Amino acid sequence: MLLIECPWCGPRDEQEFGYGGEAHIVRPADPHALDDAAWGEYLFMRTNRKGAHRERWVHSEGCRRWFNVVRDTVSHEILAVYRVGEAPPAAGRRGE
Amino acid sequence: MSEQPFRLFAGGRVDRERPLDFVWAGRRLQGYAGDTLASALLANGIHLVGRSFKYHRPRGILSAGAEEPNALVQLERGARTQPNLRATQVELYAGLHAEPQNCWPSLELDVGAINGLVSRLLPAGFYYKTFMWPRDGWMVYERFIRRAAGLGRAPSEGPDPDVYDKMHVHCDVLVVGAGPAGLAAALAAGASGARVILADEQSEPGGSLLATRETLDGEPAARWVERALADLGAMDEVRVLPRTTVFGYHDHNYLTLAERVTDHLPPGSAPDRPRQRLWKVRAREVVLATGAHERPMVFAQNDRPGIMLAGAARTYVNRYGVRPADRALVVAADDGAYAAAVDLADVGVEVTVVDVRAQAPACAEQARARSIEVLAGHGVVRTFGGSRVRAAEVAPLDGTGAGWAGGARTLRCDLVAMCGGWNPTVHLFSQSGGRLAWNAERACFVPAEARQRVRVAGAANGTFSLAAALTEGRAGGDAAARAAGFSGGADVALPAAEEGAEPAPTRALWSLPTRPPGGAPAKHFVDFQNDVTANDVALAAREGYRSVEHLKRYTTTGMGTDQGKTSNVNALGILAGLLGREVPEVGTTTFRPPYTPVTFGVLAGRDVGALADPVRTTPMHRWHVAQGARFEDVGQWKRPWYYPRPGESMHDAVSRECLAARNAVALLDASTLGKIEVRGPDAGELLDRIYTNGFKKLPVGRCRYGLMCREDGMVLDDGVSARLADDRFLVHTTTGNAARVLAWLEEWRQTEWPELRVWCDSVTEQWATASLSGPFARRLLGELTRDIDLDPEAFPFMAWRAGTVAGIPARVMRVSFTGEQSYEVSVGAGFGLALWTAIALAGERYGLTPFGTETMHVLRAEKGFIIAGQDTDGTVTPHDLGLGAMVARHKDFIGKRSLARADTLRADRKQLVGLRTDDPREVLPEGGQIVARAGGRPPVPMLGHVTSSYWSANLGHSIALALVKGGHARLGESLVVQLPQRSVPVTVVAPTFLDPDGERMRG
Amino acid sequence: MAEQHGRQSALAGLGLDAQARISTRGAGEAGVRLGERPWRAQLALRGDPESEAFLTGVESVLGVAPPTAPLTVSSRRGVACLWLGPDEWLVTLPDRREPRAIARLEERLAGLHFAVNDVSHARTVLGLAGPRAREVLMKGCALDLHPRSFGPGRCAQSSLARCHVLLHQLDAEPAYDLYVHRSFAEYAWRWLCDAAAEHGLAIVAD
Ligand SMILES: [Zn+2]
């Protein structure tokens, strides 16, 4: 079980969290300006990265905050944790 | 009562003042406190403990610990019976009852042994091939094979009478193993003030020090163990867990431990304590001091009872005070054998040593000093005996070790003690993701590169000398504590160990020659538990299996309950030899949890029976129970399903409740609906973005039904929201989606629209809700409130009002899920029962009828109201439901763009329709598949399925809702619901069966 | 457990007063004492922790400011403010004080972006205390409750067995208040009784 550092509550067991998939996927400002292919790209396509992956977690059993995690998808090592709205730390760009 | 003929008069850690009676295979025997079942059996001269899995050969006790492949027993009877326990780890207690488990029809006389004569029918890959072809072969063989194999039995009586416990614990340093390295590590880490857990699988800490005659500080090593434990006991932050197996090493230094709390006591004798306890440990740092397992040697007929590991023989002598034989042949590929030879000789066993190395090592001097004959450069040709080994042939080896260099000589012996070298117990290190390296000198895998915060010390690290293990343990414990932010453990005093002779290298002779000097070849066992021989490995190699993972699956080596603790490296070595490659090139195997088997009970803990899952109840629950309600599980909630009167069937009760709701007044407990307060200046904006329809312009005091979609345009949930104030809405969700919808709102609010000034808070548990439905609902409510004007002009449909009901502060919403005149009265949950009983009392003269979820489902289906999750399944858009009018044109919302995708615009999507059966009494099964016409040649195109189906007492016929391809264009069409035995003709109709204009609920 | 117009606690069906009368005699030796706390008013408070006006406004009404340090509790004179999240608190007050507290907060904080909801009925509070109380919690809660990590004046939301819990440590004995949602209260109660049995359990009334 992973140990995830909530930016507010500190390290907690994975079971207290919900997983929210890849981070930094911005909802298009005007969805109707997009054709079906571009909308499909936003809706369905994810990078499925091997290595450092930026992803969203929510501390559902704790403070209910969403935040971002950089996790190595091979080793499960957590490389960084940062809040919504913050830029991913440099370490998070490893493996890109 | 037997007198333990092979027990020494003195010595060992058993308590001769505390004899314990036990039963083995129907025989009453005696052992002592401190014995394992295995040591007690050996003290009674019993070596034969079971039959092998495939060939049913007689097998004895091989080891003295967790690695035991042979001595698997069925412990106790009835609901407490347990299979596959290793006799070497079962602590003896008074009245213990054990049976051999692999010996049908009996241990001594075994028809299965005939397999030994026909074993050529069961070569390597037998199971594999049986599974692969012919396809049906396994079906035929399975019954025969399973019966003959006779693995242990799961308890057939239940429930489990014992209690199991769990503990979550955090520590700075977890030390695994309380042998010399582990004790030194725990002392060093403990002295630093760090929070330390020392876990050891045995009944008492000490590890190899309990089985040695080596001294520490000039005293028996066990004395130092006592002192170390006393020191650890004086440290507040050190927790010592004996009888605790660390069986799993997971991500982020999360380890799982199984503590056998009362397994060493007679069953049921400690009812206040759990039988076993699961420790879930999050450790900052881990020190693995898990020791090493001795390797058997692979020679012909090396599996007879009386053939055991040399270290095990030594353990039985030194720790348990057992003299395991009269005459022993000790077979060595490693110096470890000599300590056993010496210890056996010193308790009067006549010993001969055969060393496969060309030169006897320096330590052989101690053996020679005891007049032990040492035959260097010799090996075992074969053994003789039935239920016990009685002789062995030995002969000189040629230079390569592949053949014999001279004639054989027969030695009488009733014990063969073998030492093929030592495998560091790297299981947990491997589970942690660490990489292993091959140590050629000692012919074993050792930990190399760690992936987690873990250190390895002592024999587990390939450090076999006692002095070095102590030093390494201390260094590991100190370094771990430092890494966790504590210091001061480096100075802990260590005892002085004896200086031993410089060890000679282990000879990696993976198998002795398979061709005997004259005579037929015989089986050289590699994996005792799964009956895999050196020939099986060779066959696999010939058939092209070159990877060890394939070898395992093909031969089943290492795939027994022992996970190949004694066999994996030998199998690997033999395969490497056959392929002409080095062992590390062929690979190692991956170890997975559990290290040794754990019970289901300890994994389940107290989450069983009534505590298996929370049962959520509403404040009115006790009333429902008192009224004899039947309950339906809705998520974790118990909701009244229907309220049968004496003698009523479910059908009768539901019909009565349905008629009451449409003709008089009926009462539903609606407390379980999800309720979310959405507050702030942008509350309306948030709801506008979430719901398909608009909420910003909803006037205060009014309610609106809303539909929300996922971003892919599929319906997620629905419900009514009330505008409580300009900046305040109360959002209702379906019972099952309460948490999901709140999380959904928060996800968008926090991650996508942080600029919106709005808060979302769950108030589901704050409110109890009683829902009145029926033509008399208003009159009944009027008797209970004075400050709410119920006049339809003043309080119209889809409005809400605050006031008091039955003297309780309440919020009343005029919404309707039944299609009747309906009022939902919500009060603080603590008042729920008071409100409910007041309504029930006042309702008596109106014939007020409580109704449950089944009637609610019928009533809403009569109206064609959907239930999200029943009539939708994540593939249904608002348009598919015929709710296109709820999709706002002039605003964006989550999912809107997807509703314009080519796929969501297809005319042949599955759409919600009603179904009428041609026979009005026929109630379709939900899930029934819909096709165009009966019969037809498969594959018959499926048009859809029935989502909701009921008997409608109000209408006098059955009703159903269904999702049907292009359904909206099929009204009036005849289709067929195909059931397993027959076809039911149906007509597609609009999904509203009653009061399509909604006059009843608006009135 | 005071009754007001038929108001019932979440555990009213278990007859805890009677259990407490039987059990109190052994309370001295019990490793764990468990009881349902008396009814207290509870408010869910939301606001901007960086707004001085919000923090001081709340303090002027309640006597305590919402703590901005995560996982802490501010309390004074029967009013406690428990940190639930960076903009979320649970305020507890003496019973029946909630209508006036809400009105005064709305008046005092008018114009600020904040929210206060009455959730007095939403949770029940179980008091768990005694020398073995920590061990009982550790059976179902993965938080690090060791005194080096968690102590009096700290609070945390987490899981207890299979339900959500808001844990507040009151003193070093240790004594805890466990806030559980009303519909889970019987489950939590039964689970705690089962888990505590090993250590000797006394049911107590406050
Ligand atoms: Zn958190």
Side-chain angles (χ1 to χ4, degrees):
Chain A
M1 189 181 318
L2 304 186
L3 185 67
I4 299 171
E5 175 113 11
C6 169
W8 288 273
C9 305
R12 297 287 184 95
D13 276 2
E14 181 184 349
Q15 67 179 24
E16 291 194 8
F17 298 86
Y19 184 62
E22 187 170 355
H24 305 296
I25 291 172
V26 180
R27 188 168 195 268
D30 181 4
H32 291 269
L34 273 56
D35 63 15
D36 272 9
W39 179 251
E41 188 71 23
Y42 154 73
L43 195 55
F44 300 120
M45 303 312 284
R46 299 293 182 267
T47 55
N48 193 23
R49 192 186 307 278
K50 180 178 182 182
H53 183 244
R54 301 185 309 215
E55 59 196 20
R56 306 184 309 158
W57 290 80
V58 58
H59 192 190
S60 354
E61 286 291 291
C63 65
R64 301 203 291 138
R65 275 335 89 167
W66 282 89
F67 58 96
N68 297 315
V69 167
V70 185
R71 180 178 59 97
D72 187 315
T73 56
V74 179
S75 68
H76 289 317
E77 189 188 351
I78 290 180
L79 307 169
V81 169
Y82 56 104
R83 296 179 185 188
V84 171
E86 290 179 353
R93 301 186 193 278
R94 213 166 78 188
E96 278 189 318
Chain B
M1 198 61 48
S2 140
E3 350 179 305
Q4 307 188 40
F6 292 86
R7 184 76 72 177
L8 296 168
F9 288 111
R13 303 187 65 76
V14 293
D15 184 350
R16 290 175 179 74
E17 302 299 310
R18 288 175 58 206
L20 301 173
D21 294 345
F22 68 102
V23 176
W24 163 254
R27 286 176 63 189
R28 293 177 61 80
L29 299 168
Q30 192 179 74
Y32 291 130
D35 263 327
T36 62
L37 175 58
S39 66
L41 290 172
L42 292 174
N44 285 282
I46 294 173
H47 283 252
L48 171 64
V49 290
R51 294 276 176 170
S52 73
F53 172 66
K54 200 158 88 177
Y55 304 128
H56 283 235
R57 291 168 65 96
R59 288 284 164 78
I61 295 161
L62 182 77
S63 75
E67 67 271 41
E68 178 61 36
N70 287 340
L72 304 183
V73 303
Q74 184 90 26
L75 191 66
E76 296 306 334
R77 291 161 290 185
R80 281 196 169 93
T81 194
Q82 276 194 93
N84 294 336
L85 287 180
R86 295 156 301 284
T88 51
Q89 290 191 298
V90 173
E91 286 181 59
L92 198 66
Y93 51 79
L96 179 146
H97 186 281
E99 297 284 340
Q101 62 181 28
N102 197 17
C103 55
W104 172 82
S106 83
L107 184 60
E108 309 280 341
L109 173 72
D110 185 345
V111 298
I114 196 155
N115 279 344
L117 305 174
V118 295
S119 62
R120 295 172 70 98
L121 296 177
L122 293 169
F126 171 78
Y127 290 93
Y128 179 81
K129 287 170 178 167
T130 309
F131 274 118
M132 297 306 282
W133 79 86
R135 178 77 60 90
D136 297 332
W138 178 249
M139 302 298 180
V140 177
Y141 304 138
E142 184 186 11
R143 274 166 55 208
F144 155 72
I145 292 170
R146 289 273 179 236
R147 180 158 180 220
L151 287 173
R153 300 180 313 275
S156 52
E157 298 169 29
D160 189 330
D162 290 310
V163 171
Y164 300 81
D165 193 31
K166 280 184 196 172
M167 284 290 267
H168 299 264
V169 64
H170 300 251
C171 67
D172 297 307
V173 180
L174 170 66
V175 180
V176 185
L183 285 169
L187 286 168
S192 75
R195 292 156 66 186
V196 177
I197 296 174
L198 172 62
D200 187 89
E201 68 178 347
Q202 301 213 37
S203 57
E204 54 175 332
S208 61
L209 299 179
L210 304 176
T212 183
R213 290 198 297 159
E214 285 181 87
T215 60
L216 288 172
D217 283 343
E219 289 183 308
R223 288 293 311 280
W224 178 75
V225 173
E226 285 165 26
R227 286 205 304 275
L229 288 171
D231 289 351
L232 291 171
M235 297 176 183
D236 286 343
E237 297 300 342
V238 175
R239 191 194 290 264
V240 179
L241 295 174
R243 300 190 173 97
T244 302
T245 303
V246 180
F247 67 87
Y249 195 141
H250 311 276
D251 283 315
H252 294 192
N253 266 14
Y254 191 72
L255 293 96
T256 42
L257 289 55
E259 179 188 6
R260 296 175 299 282
V261 183
T262 56
D263 272 355
H264 60 294
L265 304 174
S269 64
D272 295 341
R273 293 165 67 197
R275 178 182 159 219
Q276 297 179 347
R277 177 179 284 137
L278 180 69
W279 292 80
K280 298 182 167 189
V281 178
R282 184 75 74 175
R284 281 173 192 268
E285 305 289 330
V286 172
V287 179
L288 297 176
T290 45
H293 291 146
E294 198 170 14
R295 279 199 298 265
M297 297 190 67
V298 179
F299 52 83
Q301 296 140 337
N302 60 340
D303 66 326
R304 296 190 196 284
I307 302 182
M308 67 169 65
L309 296 167
R314 191 178 177 220
T315 299
Y316 289 117
V317 171
N318 293 332
R319 178 168 176 180
Y320 297 107
V322 171
R323 188 171 61 90
D326 295 323
R327 290 162 183 259
L329 174 66
V330 175
V331 192
D334 178 275
D335 289 4
Y338 288 87
V342 166
D343 290 351
L344 284 165
D346 287 353
V347 294
V349 180
E350 206 175 293
V351 179
T352 308
V353 175
V354 166
D355 196 321
V356 298
R357 296 172 292 190
Q359 301 281 320
C363 64
E365 277 319 307
Q366 288 183 31
R368 292 202 178 97
R370 287 164 173 83
S371 309
I372 296 173
E373 186 183 8
V374 177
L375 299 168
H378 277 62
V380 179
V381 177
R382 69 180 128 214
T383 68
F384 303 94
S387 59
R388 176 87 183 261
V389 65
R390 58 182 162 76
E393 264 180 22
V394 302
L397 289 159
D398 71 14
T400 64
W404 302 108
R409 162 182 162 195
T410 302
L411 296 171
R412 281 182 55 210
C413 59
D414 53 359
L415 175 75
V416 177
M418 52 190 171
C419 177
W422 295 84
N423 294 327
T425 311
V426 294
H427 299 66
L428 293 173
F429 181 79
S430 173
Q431 285 181 26
S432 79
R435 268 207 284 279
L436 304 175
W438 182 249
N439 176 333
E441 170 102 346
R442 304 306 301 260
C444 61
F445 284 105
V446 291
E449 193 185 323
R451 211 199 71 202
Q452 299 202 38
R453 303 186 67 86
V454 56
R455 291 165 179 78
V456 190
N461 201 33
T463 302
F464 293 105
S465 99
L466 179 52
L470 287 163
T471 310
E472 195 169 279
R474 179 175 66 181
D478 175 57
R482 278 177 199 280
F486 297 86
S487 57
D491 307 329
V492 167
L494 291 179
E498 296 170 42
E499 287 288 328
E502 187 64 23
T506 306
R507 181 168 187 194
L509 187 59
W510 301 113
S511 173
L512 287 156
T514 47
R515 198 166 293 281
K523 289 190 188 320
H524 292 48
F525 283 93
V526 177
D527 182 323
F528 294 94
Q529 191 169 96
N530 274 355
D531 267 355
V532 179
T533 66
N535 268 335
D536 292 332
V537 177
L539 175 64
R542 281 201 304 279
E543 294 194 359
Y545 292 87
R546 270 140 209 266
S547 136
V548 66
E549 291 299 331
H550 293 160
L551 174 78
K552 279 179 69 173
R553 282 153 185 77
Y554 190 64
T555 62
T556 72
T557 193
M559 295 180 77
T561 59
D562 64 343
Q563 286 194 45
K565 291 184 180 70
T566 55
S567 62
N568 281 342
V569 174
N570 281 340
L572 201 57
I574 293 169
L575 181 66
L578 292 165
L579 299 176
R581 296 161 72 187
E582 296 299 316
V583 170
E585 290 177 58
V586 178
T588 179
T589 54
T590 307
F591 297 94
R592 295 186 179 86
Y595 167 67
T596 47
V598 291
T599 59
F600 284 115
V602 80
L603 296 177
R606 63 186 72 253
D607 298 339
V608 293
L611 296 176
D613 201 40
V615 172
R616 300 179 70 182
T617 55
T618 74
M620 292 80 107
H621 187 74
R622 272 182 292 146
W623 190 93
H624 306 320
V625 171
Q627 295 295 312
R630 299 286 188 275
F631 290 90
E632 180 180 29
D633 289 337
V634 183
Q636 292 171 321
W637 288 100
K638 288 276 180 220
R639 297 195 69 181
W641 191 14
Y642 58 98
Y643 297 81
R645 287 179 179 167
E648 268 187 343
S649 68
M650 177 176 177
H651 178 88
D652 298 340
V654 171
S655 294
R656 173 177 51 75
E657 292 172 15
C658 284
L659 291 168
R662 295 254 185 259
N663 299 306
V665 59
L667 180 62
L668 174 79
D669 183 350
S671 306
T672 62
L673 283 189
K675 293 168 275 286
I676 302 166
E677 286 261 6
V678 178
R679 301 185 69 161
D682 294 322
E685 176 64 29
L686 176 68
L687 296 190
D688 262 14
R689 296 184 189 187
I690 293 290
Y691 281 110
T692 65
N693 47 337
F695 279 83
K696 251 195 294 205
K697 293 181 187 140
L698 181 68
V700 173
R702 302 302 299 254
C703 308
R704 181 166 289 167
Y705 173 70
L707 207 54
M708 62 176 74
C709 293
R710 301 187 313 226
E711 190 72 295
D712 63 4
M714 304 303 151
V715 171
L716 169 67
D717 201 50
D718 66 346
V720 170
S721 295
R723 189 156 207 166
L724 303 181
D726 269 344
D727 60 351
R728 185 173 179 195
F729 290 81
L730 180 63
V731 170
H732 288 86
T733 77
T734 52
T735 297
N737 273 341
R740 191 179 311 166
V741 170
L742 177 62
W744 181 245
L745 295 176
E746 283 291 347
E747 179 179 345
W748 288 101
R749 188 187 78 82
Q750 291 182 34
T751 69
E752 201 68 33
W753 306 316
E755 72 282 1
L756 291 186
R757 301 205 304 160
V758 58
W759 312 110
C760 305
D761 287 281
S762 170
V763 289
T764 301
E765 300 267 4
Q766 167 71 8
W767 298 97
T769 303
S771 179
L772 284 166
S773 277
F776 302 150
R778 182 180 302 120
R779 281 169 60 188
L780 170 54
L781 185 57
E783 296 199 11
L784 293 162
T785 180
R786 257 167 265 140
D787 57 356
I788 300 174
D789 184 354
L790 297 177
D791 184 275
E793 298 290 314
F795 190 173
F797 181 57
M798 295 308 269
W800 71 271
R801 296 291 181 263
T804 50
V805 175
I808 303 164
R811 192 184 276 151
V812 181
M813 280 173 51
R814 230 198 114 179
V815 296
S816 179
F817 193 43
T818 59
E820 286 305 312
Q821 186 189 92
S822 182
Y823 294 86
E824 293 195 348
V825 184
S826 293
V827 297
F831 296 114
L833 187 59
L835 171 75
W836 186 274
T837 45
I839 293 174
L841 197 64
E844 273 176 16
R845 55 196 190 92
Y846 298 95
L848 177 75
T849 302
F851 70 103
T853 51
E854 186 66 17
T855 292
M856 177 188 82
H857 283 197
V858 178
L859 297 173
R860 64 89 203 176
E862 289 172 350
K863 285 288 298 171
F865 293 154
I866 62 152
I867 290 185
Q870 175 163 343
D871 302 298
T872 70
D873 59 3
T875 68
V876 179
T877 69
H879 299 283
D880 297 339
L881 294 172
L883 298 175
M886 291 184 64
V887 176
R889 289 165 181 239
H890 301 296
K891 62 152 190 163
D892 188 30
F893 58 84
I894 298 300
K896 186 176 188 183
R897 173 63 185 81
S898 291
L899 297 177
R901 290 176 65 229
D903 186 63
T904 42
L905 293 171
R906 274 175 25 236
D908 67 342
R909 290 182 61 80
K910 287 187 183 172
Q911 295 161 337
L912 188 76
V913 294
L915 296 181
R916 287 286 308 273
T917 47
D918 291 4
D919 174 357
R921 290 163 305 172
E922 171 97 41
V923 181
L924 296 165
E926 288 173 356
Q929 290 294 314
I930 300 163
V931 297
R933 68 189 69 82
R937 183 171 296 192
V940 179
M942 298 291 178
L943 296 180
H945 64 279
V946 178
T947 60
S948 295
S949 175
Y950 312 95
W951 171 253
S952 168
N954 285 299
L955 297 168
H957 62 75
S958 69
I959 57 171
L961 300 176
L963 288 167
V964 176
K965 279 187 180 172
H968 293 160
R970 290 183 188 264
L971 298 189
E973 218 172 275
S974 292
L975 298 174
V976 166
V977 175
Q978 185 64 53
L979 302 183
Q981 302 301 332
R982 63 206 173 88
S983 315
V984 182
V986 296
T987 305
V988 179
V989 298
T992 311
F993 299 91
L994 183 140
D995 188 22
D997 299 325
E999 282 165 17
R1000 301 172 73 103
M1001 62 188 184
R1002 286 171 214 280
Chain C
M1 275 172 269
E3 303 295 318
Q4 173 202 348
H5 302 307
R7 188 178 67 182
Q8 291 203 318
S9 87
L11 299 178
L14 298 183
L16 298 186
D17 284 333
Q19 287 189 38
R21 278 194 296 278
I22 297 165
S23 158
T24 306
R25 270 165 287 162
E29 303 107 61
V32 182
R33 306 185 304 279
L34 180 65
E36 188 182 23
R37 294 281 198 185
W39 196 286
R40 286 175 65 74
Q42 298 177 42
L43 307 177
L45 178 68
R46 307 296 298 269
D48 179 358
E50 287 171 9
S51 160
E52 204 53 41
F54 168 73
L55 298 174
T56 55
V58 172
E59 185 170 16
S60 71
V61 173
L62 300 176
V64 291
T68 52
L71 310 173
T72 60
V73 181
S74 305
S75 45
R76 188 160 171 264
R77 291 195 190 164
V79 178
C81 195
L82 290 76
W83 186 96
L84 301 185
D87 55 11
E88 185 174 357
W89 297 267
L90 183 74
V91 178
T92 71
L93 308 136
D95 189 18
R96 298 177 217 194
R97 287 256 308 266
E98 66 274 17
R100 185 163 156 69
I102 290 171
R104 289 187 56 206
L105 283 168
E106 287 184 337
E107 183 189 337
R108 183 71 175 70
L109 301 175
L112 297 177
H113 176 39
F114 87 103
V116 59
N117 283 306
D118 180 7
V119 289
S120 303
H121 296 255
R123 293 181 178 93
T124 195
V125 188
L126 308 179
L128 178 75
R132 309 306 295 272
R134 182 179 294 113
E135 274 81 357
V136 171
L137 285 182
M138 285 165 69
K139 290 170 190 245
C141 179
L143 290 175
D144 185 359
L145 298 172
H146 188 277
R148 288 180 187 171
S149 299
F150 199 85
R154 296 288 301 275
C155 71
Q157 297 183 85
S158 185
S159 304
L160 179 69
R162 301 173 68 83
C163 69
H164 179 263
V165 68
L166 166 61
L167 187 66
H168 175 197
Q169 185 169 345
L170 305 175
D171 65 30
E173 184 191 17
Y176 302 93
D177 275 353
L178 276 56
Y179 292 72
V180 294
H181 285 118
R182 184 182 176 102
S183 68
F184 288 94
E186 280 203 22
Y187 165 80
W189 178 270
R190 292 184 201 283
W191 187 92
L192 285 165
C193 289
D194 194 56
E198 181 184 0
H199 302 301
L201 170 68
I203 307 297
V204 295
D206 277 282

Short mmCIF file of all heavy atoms in Angstrom, two decimals, chain B residues 63 76 229 251 282 316 324 461 492 532 600 886:
data_model
loop_
_atom_site.label_atom_id
_atom_site.label_comp_id
_atom_site.label_asym_id
_atom_site.label_seq_id
_atom_site.Cartn_x
_atom_site.Cartn_y
_atom_site.Cartn_z
N SER B 63 13.46 -30.67 7.84
CA SER B 63 14.05 -29.45 8.36
C SER B 63 13.60 -29.23 9.79
O SER B 63 12.94 -30.07 10.39
CB SER B 63 13.63 -28.25 7.51
OG SER B 63 12.27 -27.92 7.81
N GLU B 76 -5.72 -30.56 14.51
CA GLU B 76 -7.02 -30.46 15.19
C GLU B 76 -8.16 -30.92 14.28
O GLU B 76 -7.96 -31.28 13.12
CB GLU B 76 -7.27 -29.05 15.74
CG GLU B 76 -6.26 -28.66 16.82
CD GLU B 76 -6.18 -29.68 17.96
OE1 GLU B 76 -7.16 -30.39 18.22
OE2 GLU B 76 -5.09 -29.77 18.58
N LEU B 229 17.42 -9.66 25.39
CA LEU B 229 15.97 -9.46 25.50
C LEU B 229 15.62 -8.62 26.72
O LEU B 229 14.71 -7.79 26.66
CB LEU B 229 15.25 -10.81 25.58
CG LEU B 229 15.25 -11.59 24.26
CD1 LEU B 229 14.71 -13.00 24.48
CD2 LEU B 229 14.43 -10.86 23.20
N ASP B 251 4.83 -2.16 -1.09
CA ASP B 251 5.36 -0.86 -1.48
C ASP B 251 5.49 0.07 -0.27
O ASP B 251 4.72 -0.01 0.68
CB ASP B 251 4.44 -0.21 -2.51
CG ASP B 251 4.64 -0.84 -3.88
OD1 ASP B 251 5.78 -1.04 -4.28
OD2 ASP B 251 3.62 -1.13 -4.53
N ARG B 282 3.94 0.13 9.00
CA ARG B 282 4.57 1.09 8.10
C ARG B 282 5.88 1.47 8.77
O ARG B 282 5.89 2.10 9.83
CB ARG B 282 3.67 2.31 7.93
CG ARG B 282 4.20 3.31 6.96
CD ARG B 282 4.04 2.88 5.53
NE ARG B 282 2.66 2.97 5.07
CZ ARG B 282 2.29 2.73 3.80
NH1 ARG B 282 3.19 2.40 2.90
NH2 ARG B 282 1.03 2.81 3.46
N TYR B 316 17.77 -30.30 16.38
CA TYR B 316 17.03 -31.25 17.22
C TYR B 316 17.88 -31.70 18.40
O TYR B 316 17.37 -31.90 19.50
CB TYR B 316 16.53 -32.43 16.37
CG TYR B 316 15.40 -31.99 15.45
CD1 TYR B 316 15.52 -32.03 14.07
CD2 TYR B 316 14.23 -31.47 15.99
CE1 TYR B 316 14.50 -31.59 13.24
CE2 TYR B 316 13.20 -31.01 15.18
CZ TYR B 316 13.34 -31.08 13.80
OH TYR B 316 12.33 -30.62 13.01
N PRO B 324 18.59 -37.90 17.30
CA PRO B 324 17.73 -38.32 16.20
C PRO B 324 18.13 -39.66 15.58
O PRO B 324 17.45 -40.11 14.66
CB PRO B 324 17.86 -37.18 15.18
CG PRO B 324 19.16 -36.54 15.49
CD PRO B 324 19.45 -36.76 16.95
N ASN B 461 22.33 -11.92 4.55
CA ASN B 461 23.16 -11.12 3.65
C ASN B 461 24.37 -11.93 3.17
O ASN B 461 25.28 -11.37 2.56
CB ASN B 461 23.63 -9.86 4.40
CG ASN B 461 24.04 -8.76 3.45
OD1 ASN B 461 23.47 -8.63 2.37
ND2 ASN B 461 25.05 -7.99 3.84
N VAL B 492 26.64 0.24 21.11
CA VAL B 492 26.10 -0.88 21.87
C VAL B 492 27.14 -2.00 21.91
O VAL B 492 27.74 -2.35 20.90
CB VAL B 492 24.80 -1.38 21.19
CG1 VAL B 492 24.39 -2.72 21.74
CG2 VAL B 492 23.70 -0.36 21.39
N VAL B 532 9.51 -33.33 -7.66
CA VAL B 532 10.22 -33.02 -8.90
C VAL B 532 11.65 -33.55 -8.75
O VAL B 532 12.31 -33.31 -7.74
CB VAL B 532 10.24 -31.51 -9.17
CG1 VAL B 532 11.02 -31.21 -10.45
CG2 VAL B 532 8.82 -30.98 -9.27
N PHE B 600 -6.92 -17.51 6.32
CA PHE B 600 -7.91 -16.53 5.88
C PHE B 600 -8.41 -15.74 7.08
O PHE B 600 -8.72 -14.56 6.98
CB PHE B 600 -9.08 -17.22 5.20
CG PHE B 600 -8.78 -17.69 3.80
CD1 PHE B 600 -8.76 -19.03 3.48
CD2 PHE B 600 -8.50 -16.77 2.81
CE1 PHE B 600 -8.47 -19.46 2.20
CE2 PHE B 600 -8.21 -17.20 1.52
CZ PHE B 600 -8.20 -18.54 1.21
N MET B 886 -34.65 18.56 -21.23
CA MET B 886 -33.90 19.04 -20.07
C MET B 886 -32.49 19.48 -20.44
O MET B 886 -31.72 19.86 -19.56
CB MET B 886 -33.82 17.94 -19.00
CG MET B 886 -35.16 17.65 -18.35
SD MET B 886 -35.00 16.44 -17.05
CE MET B 886 -33.95 17.31 -15.89
#
